[in-house]
Amino acid sequence: MGRRKKYPKLPNGYGSIKRLSGKNRTNPYGVYPPTKEFGINGNPVPVKALCYVDDWYKGFTVLTWYKYGEYYPGREKELTESGSSDELGSQVAKILSKYSQTQREVADQKTFEDIFKEFYAWKFGKEYNLNREKRSASEAGFRSAYNNCKSLHDKSFRSLVTADLQKAVDDCPLKHATLEKIIVLFNQMYAYADANDLCDKKYSDYVKIKSEDDDEKGVPFENDELEILWKNQEDPVVEMLLIICYSGFRISEYIDLEVNWNENYLKGGLKTDAGRNRIVPIHSAILPLVKRRIKRDGAFLTCSTGDFRADMYATLEKLGIKKHTPHDSRHTFSKLCDDYYVNETDKKLMLGHSFQDVTNKVYLHRSLERLKEEIERIKVCR
């Protein structure tokens, strides 16, 4: 079998051309636009192909059209047979060299503030402004994180390295949860920048929180308090509290939590390697609440975590329940796991706690069915 031909490397933000598997494809090259969406940790979300062609150079022509707003579905059919590979390769190299140089010169002038505003407009579909207006929890979280790293605002984004980002996190005097939001901002900004050739490397991947976690203390809801919550489950605030009590994510993690309706589980997490992208089955008792909330609001949270906290305090006072924080709901999940003898390892997995012993840390695997069996051990207090 002959060695597969190598083609020029496309710069970030140009899109991609992928050779598809299979020997007898009429159009074996998939032509894909630049990534437009990123997950909570900055990982790109796969995009749909613009078209499929029989020649790599045709794919490059399609991407060039697309880059300058000249492509429309089906236009690839206008392309005729390509010329010689050497001649086309030389032309492509010149185009890419000129494009990369121009992009580099423009990008080098942009500050952290410039890139944030570009990212913000791309992510939320509107310009960043200081006007007082209603914003989603996700939007408010990113704005807050941006305001908490002001030392970076006027610095050239291209010139920043891990040490600069790390110093911004280390110098922030606020709580652990605030530092987490800053790192989420860094991850998503660098994913955007990497996709658009605005940085040399994803330096955000190496930034860590060095201070000790300060939000793992709390007082769980008592069984009689849970009974009161269940009797008032129609209240939107109580509804959210019950969801947290029986799934255990941190309140900030519900902002971008993924719901899998086919297999009824939640996926997400922000804080640690063990906590990121963890899976927690939806307990059968809260499944109707989750469905109702997502159908009604389109998300778990439609306000900032601070606004939810204020609403929670007022609601608990009205119900005659002593003051609790949103994080107490997470502790309630941990307590319920203990009360109903949920396997300790499965409990740690669902809470996103790390494992100290090497065996569990390296070799542990748990199926979704196993986790479902364990979480259903928890009985509802009502």
Side-chain angles (χ1 to χ4, degrees):
M1 182 182 292
R3 182 175 296 177
R4 181 170 292 181
K5 181 176 177 60
K6 292 186 68 175
Y7 295 101
K9 182 181 183 300
L10 299 178
N12 291 339
Y14 211 90
S16 61
I17 304 168
K18 299 177 184 178
R19 174 99 188 189
L20 307 177
S21 60
K23 296 181 179 179
N24 300 316
R25 290 179 179 270
T26 303
N27 296 305
Y29 293 93
V31 185
Y32 299 86
T35 300
K36 295 296 183 183
E37 293 185 46
F38 302 91
I40 195 166
N41 293 316
N43 298 320
V45 175
V47 293
K48 184 179 179 181
L50 293 171
C51 63
Y52 299 90
V53 295
D54 61 353
D55 181 85
W56 189 93
Y57 292 104
K58 289 182 181 180
F60 176 78
T61 301
V62 168
L63 285 180
T64 303
W65 283 339
Y66 181 83
K67 188 72 182 174
Y68 296 101
E70 299 172 359
Y71 175 75
Y72 51 82
R75 191 180 180 189
E76 66 277 2
K77 295 176 183 177
E78 299 176 11
L79 297 170
T80 58
E81 292 296 320
S82 301
S84 71
S85 295
D86 290 343
E87 179 183 353
L88 289 169
S90 177
Q91 293 175 357
V92 169
K94 289 179 181 178
I95 293 172
L96 293 180
S97 176
K98 184 177 180 180
Y99 169 81
S100 296
Q101 181 61 30
T102 301
Q103 292 294 101
R104 176 86 189 203
E105 290 172 357
V106 172
D108 284 351
Q109 304 302 315
K110 295 183 177 182
T111 63
F112 184 92
E113 179 180 5
D114 294 330
I115 301 301
F116 172 77
K117 289 180 177 179
E118 284 186 23
F119 160 76
Y120 187 93
W122 163 79
K123 185 172 183 66
F124 298 108
K126 59 183 177 181
E127 298 298 318
Y128 176 82
N129 63 66
L130 300 177
N131 298 336
R132 297 181 67 86
E133 59 186 48
K134 187 174 181 179
R135 300 186 175 95
S136 68
S138 179
E139 191 177 352
F142 280 109
R143 292 172 70 96
S144 174
Y146 170 68
N147 289 330
N148 285 321
C149 53
K150 289 184 178 179
S151 62
L152 302 176
H153 288 190
D154 60 354
K155 293 185 178 180
S156 164
F157 190 83
R158 176 84 75 176
S159 70
L160 294 174
V161 294
T162 301
D164 300 307
L165 304 180
Q166 185 67 60
K167 188 174 188 305
V169 173
D170 293 345
D171 290 349
C172 181
L174 302 177
K175 290 187 175 183
H176 201 280
T178 300
L179 305 186
E180 294 165 25
K181 291 180 181 179
I182 294 175
I183 289 182
V184 170
L185 171 66
F186 288 167
N187 285 337
Q188 293 212 16
M189 280 184 65
Y190 269 87
Y192 169 82
D194 185 52
N196 291 282
D197 203 22
L198 299 170
C199 64
D200 297 319
K201 188 175 183 178
K202 290 180 66 179
Y203 293 106
S204 59
D205 288 347
Y206 309 98
V207 181
K208 306 292 182 184
I209 298 176
K210 297 177 181 178
S211 60
E212 290 186 9
D213 194 343
D214 54 11
D215 69 355
E216 286 302 331
K217 296 179 180 179
V219 180
F221 284 91
E222 299 294 338
N223 288 347
D224 59 339
E225 294 175 327
L226 286 174
E227 289 178 11
I228 296 174
L229 293 180
W230 277 112
K231 290 176 182 176
N232 293 274
Q233 61 181 280
E234 298 299 323
D235 182 289
V237 174
V238 174
E239 175 186 76
M240 187 64 210
L241 289 176
L242 287 169
I243 290 172
I244 304 174
C245 286
Y246 289 84
S247 57
F249 286 91
R250 299 173 181 85
I251 184 64
S252 59
E253 294 175 324
Y254 286 92
I255 293 173
D256 290 300
L257 209 59
E258 174 188 333
V259 183
N260 185 304
W261 295 117
N262 292 326
E263 300 187 79
N264 291 336
Y265 66 76
L266 305 176
K267 181 178 180 181
L270 299 173
K271 180 163 289 192
T272 62
D273 290 340
R276 292 189 187 99
N277 293 321
R278 68 186 185 275
I279 287 175
V280 178
I282 303 175
H283 192 288
S284 58
I286 62 167
L287 182 58
L289 279 61
V290 173
K291 288 183 176 179
R292 182 174 69 199
R293 192 170 188 87
I294 298 300
K295 181 178 180 180
R296 183 187 66 237
D297 301 336
F300 284 105
L301 290 176
T302 56
C303 62
S304 70
T305 56
D307 287 343
F308 177 80
R309 183 185 294 263
D311 291 341
M312 174 184 172
Y313 292 159
T315 300
L316 294 181
E317 183 177 2
K318 180 179 67 176
L319 296 176
I321 298 176
K322 69 175 181 284
K323 188 174 181 179
H324 286 278
T325 66
H327 203 72
D328 288 350
S329 301
R330 172 172 162 83
H331 284 281
T332 303
F333 178 74
S334 179
K335 176 181 179 295
L336 288 170
C337 286
D338 292 339
D339 289 348
Y340 291 100
Y341 305 104
V342 170
N343 178 276
E344 183 67 18
T345 296
D346 295 315
K347 169 191 164 184
K348 283 187 173 183
L349 280 173
M350 290 188 284
L351 284 167
H353 290 166
S354 60
F355 292 90
Q356 299 303 315
D357 58 294
V358 175
T359 302
N360 276 327
K361 189 174 183 180
V362 178
Y363 298 107
L364 176 65
H365 296 282
R366 280 293 196 275
S367 70
L368 178 61
E369 289 305 314
R370 168 63 184 267
L371 294 177
K372 285 182 177 179
E373 290 175 6
E374 289 300 313
I375 202 170
E376 289 297 330
R377 289 177 178 270
I378 297 173
K379 306 304 178 188
V380 173
C381 301
R382 54 182 172 182

